[in-house]
Amino acid sequence: MIRSFKIIPISLFIGLSSLLFAEKLDVFFGTVGKKANGIYQATFDQNTGHLSEPKRIVDTRSPGFLATHPSLPIIYAVARTSDGGIVQAFRIRQDSEGLEEINQVAIPLGNGAHISVHPSGAFLFTAQYGAGTVAVFPLETDGRVMSTSQVINHTGPSNVHEKRQNAPHPHWTGFSPDGRFAFAPDLGTDRIEIYRVNTDRSLTSSSSVKSLPGSGPRHMRFSKDGRFIYLLNELSVSLGIYTYDPSSGSAELNKVIPALTTEEKITAKNSTSSEILVHPSGNFVYTANRGHDSISVFSSNPAGDLSRIQLEPARAASPRHINLSPNANWLIAAGQKSNNVSVFAVDSASGELTFLEDSIREIPSVSCILFIE
């Protein structure tokens, strides 16, 4: 059953015992597109959900996605220059606000759409949507980015959607829970490309897993127990549920479920999916819906099945990204077209979202949210 949303004042959350163990954190925001003018920083209070007014701390062009090093106080961004795409490395300043750039390297033949760091901290993995490639960038022990060591071309567009699928378009990169395999969903080919991670920090093609024709894979996440992959399909606004074999790195499609019903998609122009999250408990999954400008909330069971329990307005136009606070009591949505972020309380028992009154903050063309513990 889909429950209605409600707005509640921030004062009602203060004093709840489930929120008292948290602390204030830094949160960084990436921006993308013509209005994108840098990386922003704010402070987030995990006790109350209060987000301070974001400030621009780095002047760089279109830093669309951010990632953090697993053990060093370093943030990485895919950004752009007049000469093309770059990967930038920044050290988080401990004594003052802001980021200090360590170095930057060029991305061959394209602009980065997504970036991830291997759990070992040994290398970066980027996706170039326009170029149809993924790339590996080794990291020095101090976190400095080295020039790319490997560029892999995706092949075979599906051509179901004439404009969106006339070429390969990898849109996300990430790793299996054990770090032995790397993954790159490709919107243009309707496939997930799976690579084996080698000890020399290179990738070897392992397998290719199909999604439904025309679905347009965008981002993916693993279930908490690592037995299932949840693939978010941008064009069909749906989720593919795959059984995952960690020994071989292979996956098999079980079913596809809608994030929005046909009727809901009709009510909004050009609805597309953008981001997917799995709650740390493993009991809930969240997806962001652009066009419809909402967040779908799903409950999950041990068999990997998902059932939608809530459809919450995002209070943001074209929510390109959503992210959970480290304690998972809060969710922030980033509206690229409305130039704002909004905060929601997460019910730990039901997984449902409640908009936090007066939580909206302005950020131009915001596209990514990164919490730092």
Side-chain angles (χ1 to χ4, degrees), residues 186-240:
D186 194 307
L187 183 146
T189 65
D190 286 325
R191 296 197 302 263
I192 305 173
E193 299 299 338
I194 304 176
Y195 301 93
R196 185 177 297 277
V197 177
N198 302 314
T199 56
D200 63 355
R201 299 189 285 194
S202 67
L203 304 180
T204 302
S205 180
S206 177
S207 61
S208 181
V209 183
K210 293 182 179 180
S211 63
L212 294 185
S215 58
R218 181 180 172 93
H219 288 192
M220 57 168 273
R221 301 283 179 173
F222 280 87
S223 62
K224 182 183 179 181
D225 60 11
R227 296 171 53 215
F228 303 98
I229 291 173
Y230 300 123
L231 175 67
L232 185 66
N233 296 307
E234 176 177 335
L235 301 181
S236 61
V237 195
S238 65
L239 294 89

Side-chain angles (χ1 to χ4, degrees), residues 77-133:
V78 281
R80 303 180 185 183
T81 69
S82 57
D83 296 324
I86 57 172
V87 174
Q88 290 179 287
F90 299 93
R91 182 175 291 107
I92 302 172
R93 292 175 176 166
Q94 301 299 310
D95 56 349
S96 64
E97 290 186 354
L99 300 173
E100 176 185 2
E101 184 173 0
I102 301 172
N103 76 319
Q104 61 178 256
V105 298
I107 299 174
L109 302 176
N111 297 314
H114 195 269
I115 185 171
S116 59
V117 185
H118 189 263
S120 67
F123 67 92
L124 296 173
F125 189 27
T126 65
Q128 288 65 246
Y129 179 92
T133 65

Side-chain angles (χ1 to χ4, degrees), residues 43-373:
T43 300
F44 185 75
D45 189 329
Q46 289 195 103
N47 286 325
T48 66
H50 179 263
L51 181 69
S52 68
E53 290 294 337
K55 300 178 181 179
R56 183 159 63 99
I57 57 167
V58 173
D59 184 8
T60 189
R61 180 183 168 193
S62 200
F65 211 89
L66 311 175
T68 186
H69 192 282
S71 58
L72 299 175
I74 294 175
I75 287 175
Y76 302 96
V78 281
R80 303 180 185 183
T81 69
S82 57
D83 296 324
I86 57 172
V87 174
Q88 290 179 287
F90 299 93
R91 182 175 291 107
I92 302 172
R93 292 175 176 166
Q94 301 299 310
D95 56 349
S96 64
E97 290 186 354
L99 300 173
E100 176 185 2
E101 184 173 0
I102 301 172
N103 76 319
Q104 61 178 256
V105 298
I107 299 174
L109 302 176
N111 297 314
H114 195 269
I115 185 171
S116 59
V117 185
H118 189 263
S120 67
F123 67 92
L124 296 173
F125 189 27
T126 65
Q128 288 65 246
Y129 179 92
T133 65
V134 294
V136 174
F137 295 81
L139 297 177
E140 299 278 12
T141 55
D142 64 357
R144 186 178 302 268
V145 186
M146 301 169 66
S147 297
T148 181
S149 60
Q150 188 177 16
V151 177
I152 302 172
N153 292 283
H154 285 193
T155 59
S158 68
N159 289 313
V160 176
H161 288 259
E162 183 177 353
K163 293 183 178 180
R164 298 296 309 277
Q165 295 186 308
N166 60 356
H169 293 306
H171 216 313
W172 184 91
T173 60
F175 303 95
S176 58
D178 60 11
R180 295 176 57 235
F181 295 92
F183 299 79
D186 194 307
L187 183 146
T189 65
D190 286 325
R191 296 197 302 263
I192 305 173
E193 299 299 338
I194 304 176
Y195 301 93
R196 185 177 297 277
V197 177
N198 302 314
T199 56
D200 63 355
R201 299 189 285 194
S202 67
L203 304 180
T204 302
S205 180
S206 177
S207 61
S208 181
V209 183
K210 293 182 179 180
S211 63
L212 294 185
S215 58
R218 181 180 172 93
H219 288 192
M220 57 168 273
R221 301 283 179 173
F222 280 87
S223 62
K224 182 183 179 181
D225 60 11
R227 296 171 53 215
F228 303 98
I229 291 173
Y230 300 123
L231 175 67
L232 185 66
N233 296 307
E234 176 177 335
L235 301 181
S236 61
V237 195
S238 65
L239 294 89
I241 303 173
Y242 294 75
T243 300
Y244 177 67
D245 182 353
S247 63
S248 64
S250 60
E252 181 178 355
L253 179 61
N254 292 336
K255 64 172 64 175
V256 176
I257 63 172
L260 293 176
T261 66
T262 300
E263 292 76 15
E264 289 162 348
K265 287 190 287 185
I266 290 174
T267 64
K269 185 178 180 180
N270 299 325
S271 288
T272 58
S273 294
S274 60
E275 184 58 283
I276 181 169
L277 302 173
V278 175
H279 191 275
S281 68
N283 296 328
F284 316 110
V285 173
Y286 303 87
T287 68
N289 312 304
R290 294 175 296 186
H292 194 269
D293 295 342
S294 59
I295 302 168
S296 298
V297 183
F298 300 84
S299 63
S300 63
N301 64 25
D305 291 330
L306 301 178
S307 176
R308 202 180 79 177
I309 57 174
Q310 186 186 23
L311 185 63
E312 175 73 8
R315 276 76 171 188
S318 192
R320 187 180 179 108
H321 196 240
I322 53 176
N323 206 357
L324 289 163
S325 61
N327 67 0
N329 288 325
W330 309 95
L331 181 146
I332 298 181
Q336 182 183 352
K337 291 186 177 180
S338 54
N339 306 304
N340 75 281
V341 296
S342 52
V343 181
F344 300 81
V346 179
D347 188 304
S348 60
S350 69
E352 293 185 349
L353 304 177
T354 302
F355 175 62
L356 195 60
E357 191 177 79
D358 299 324
S359 68
I360 291 177
R361 302 288 182 265
E362 295 183 0
I363 303 174
S365 200
V366 60
S367 60
C368 182
I369 306 155
L370 180 67
F371 288 96
I372 301 295
E373 295 187 73

